[in-house]
Amino acid sequence: QVQVVESGGGLVQPGESLRLSCSPSGSTFHIYDMAWYRQTPGKQRELVISSQYGGPTNFLDSVKGRFTISRDFVKNLVYLQMNNLQPEDTAVYYCNTGPPARWDWGQGTQATVSS
C-alpha cells in the first residue's frame, strides 16, 4: 500500500516562495501521472497542477506562471515549486496520482501566506 508523505510547508509573506516535497513510498510512481492538490477549510479538495508523464502539465489558471511540478525519479520524489505566493494560496497541499487520485491521501503540508 502506498503511503504518501508531504513536507515543506510553512508560513511565508506574500511574494515569497516555498518548495513542497512528496515521497510516495511503496510505489513505482514513475508509471503514474502525478499531481498536487490543495484544500482549505469548508471547501472541496481541488487539483492545483498535474504532470502527465511525457506529456503536458495542467494547472489552475490562478497558479499559471507561478507554480511548477517536477519529479526526481532517482530519489522518488515529487516537488511543487510555488513562487510569488499570495494569501489565496493558503491551504493544505497534498500530492497524489492523477487526476484521478488513486492512492490514500497523506496528511498534507500546510502552506500559509500572510503578511
Side-chain angles (χ1 to χ4, degrees):
Q1 184 170 349
V2 177
Q3 290 188 324
V4 182
V5 178
E6 300 93 348
S7 62
L11 172 62
V12 297
Q13 295 187 344
E16 294 185 336
S17 299
L18 282 173
R19 189 176 80 158
L20 308 183
S21 299
C22 166
S23 175
S25 63
S27 171
T28 51
F29 87 117
H30 65 274
I31 67 174
Y32 294 109
D33 299 337
M34 293 300 299
W36 284 90
Y37 304 77
R38 69 186 180 188
Q39 188 171 25
T40 55
K43 294 187 177 181
Q44 287 191 334
R45 189 175 286 136
E46 65 177 355
L47 174 68
V48 177
I49 188 168
S50 65
S51 174
Q52 298 178 9
Y53 186 61
T57 298
N58 301 303
F59 38 73
L60 281 177
D61 286 343
S62 62
V63 307
K64 184 178 181 180
R66 301 188 298 121
F67 288 15
T68 305
I69 185 172
S70 61
R71 306 191 202 190
D72 185 326
F73 290 99
V74 174
K75 295 181 180 179
N76 202 38
L77 292 171
V78 184
Y79 299 107
L80 177 63
Q81 178 67 43
M82 305 190 293
N83 297 327
N84 190 23
L85 282 160
Q86 301 300 313
E88 54 266 32
D89 297 316
T90 295
V92 179
Y93 285 77
Y94 303 85
C95 81
N96 210 307
T97 62
R102 295 177 174 84
W103 299 331
D104 291 340
W105 294 98
Q107 292 190 335
T109 186
Q110 174 73 47
T112 302
V113 186
S114 175
S115 55

